[in-house]
Amino acid sequence: MLQTWTMATPVITGITERGGSPVSSDGRGPLAVFDDAGFTGTLASNSDFEIARYLRPGETVRATTVVESISERKETRLGPGYFVTWETTYTDEDGEVVGRQHFRILKFRPAGHSE
Amino acid sequence: VSTDPVGATLDWRAIGVDDELPEMVIEVTATRIVAGALATRDFMPVHHDRAYATSQGAPDIFMNIMSDNAYCSRYLTDWAGPEAMVRRLAIRLGVPVFPGSTLTYSGKVTGKSRVGDEGLVEVELRAVNDLGDHVTGTATIALPLTSTERAIH
């Protein structure tokens, strides 16, 4: 659920024009640089989460995400792309860590699409 | 689904390394894929729009990773019981899951440890379909030792 709560509010209109991105151009994250370069495809490959404790109603949780690594360009069966790994840390009001997730996706240029 | 979702919490002391978890089988439909993606607020069209998915080179829509986290968590807690907490789940995705495929989950206990009033259990798990390994991963489950002991004595 921690990850689900951090998913951007979708903007359905224009999703096709944005190459399938369900997020509007406002407030785009650092991954937008890949989309702008034609690497519009996204495929998740790894998730590794740790949950320290359950949350209680009324708590406020903060999520901080840091991009950990970006691979060299790889040729995959889906097309050329880059593996991007980030770490999201979830903290409570006291700054105590309640959860942490490492997540890896492949940002790729769909086969048949030009640079 | 072949597991009983309403069971008692396992007694940590009765779990042995190399114990196998009962299989869980999920018949995957397009509805299940779409429902899982949208329930986890994942609106990437490859998880709900077949025409879009095929334009990206996939034969159909396919399951999103957050559904995998959910099904793996459910697989673990269906086995370990309502008081079990999934402390860690690390998964790697292999082949995709398209509508019409059957996912079969299996798992095995690989380790046990005791930390304070909790019993931890390490599990190796896997979900396969007709294309091969869809999910391979490891998990750590915490079981409350004190309530287990209260229940026994």
Side-chain angles (χ1 to χ4, degrees):
Chain A
M1 281 308 293
L2 287 176
Q3 185 182 12
T4 288
W5 289 329
T6 65
M7 297 297 281
T9 300
V11 179
I12 306 295
T13 303
I15 202 165
T16 307
E17 291 72 17
R18 294 192 303 272
S21 172
V23 185
S24 81
S25 56
D26 300 331
R28 295 196 310 167
L31 295 181
V33 67
F34 289 101
D35 296 295
D36 294 345
F39 294 82
T40 54
T42 303
L43 191 73
S45 66
N46 298 73
S47 165
D48 181 350
F49 73 73
E50 294 171 79
I51 304 294
R53 64 168 176 86
Y54 288 123
L55 300 175
R56 292 178 294 273
E59 286 195 88
T60 301
V61 177
R62 179 183 299 270
T64 306
T65 298
V66 175
V67 174
E68 283 190 322
S69 64
I70 299 171
S71 74
E72 296 298 308
R73 177 171 162 146
K74 308 270 188 188
E75 300 302 321
T76 76
R77 63 185 168 82
L78 297 165
Y82 298 85
F83 285 95
V84 184
T85 307
W86 64 78
E87 180 193 57
T88 302
T89 305
Y90 300 87
T91 50
D92 64 15
E93 290 99 321
D94 300 323
E96 295 292 320
V97 174
V98 296
R100 199 186 300 279
Q101 183 179 31
H102 293 261
F103 201 72
R104 182 173 300 145
I105 62 167
L106 172 69
K107 284 299 290 177
F108 65 98
R109 192 173 62 227
H113 293 234
S114 58
E115 301 234 5
Chain B
V1 174
S2 59
T3 53
D4 174 5
V6 185
T9 301
L10 292 181
D11 179 352
W12 175 81
R13 293 167 301 179
I15 298 172
V17 172
D18 290 335
D19 281 2
E20 292 194 2
L21 280 64
E23 270 191 358
M24 178 174 85
V25 176
I26 294 199
E27 306 290 345
V28 179
T29 61
T31 303
R32 201 183 270 280
I33 291 172
V34 174
L38 301 193
T40 55
R41 291 171 54 88
D42 184 347
F43 283 76
M44 296 293 288
V46 289
H47 306 307
H48 66 257
D49 182 340
R50 188 174 194 276
Y52 181 85
T54 56
S55 80
Q56 296 275 301
D60 206 328
I61 61 169
F62 53 90
M63 188 176 278
N64 73 325
I65 193 167
M66 286 185 282
S67 291
D68 285 306
N69 275 335
Y71 285 121
C72 287
S73 297
R74 169 179 154 190
Y75 179 53
L76 295 164
T77 54
D78 277 3
W79 167 67
E83 290 175 276
M85 180 178 179
V86 178
R87 275 293 163 72
R88 182 171 187 187
L89 177 63
I91 62 171
R92 184 162 63 90
L93 297 194
V95 300
V97 175
F98 300 116
S101 75
T102 300
L103 274 177
T104 302
Y105 292 75
S106 61
K108 194 171 90 168
V109 175
T110 57
K112 284 178 65 177
S113 59
R114 185 174 179 156
V115 179
D117 58 358
E118 283 188 331
L120 301 183
V121 181
E122 305 292 330
V123 174
E124 202 174 75
L125 74 164
R126 180 179 299 267
V128 301
N129 66 11
D130 56 323
L131 300 174
D133 284 342
H134 168 57
V135 163
T136 50
T138 56
T140 306
I141 298 165
L143 292 166
L145 286 177
T146 45
S147 73
T148 306
E149 281 159 5
R150 268 204 304 278
I152 287 169
H153 298 297

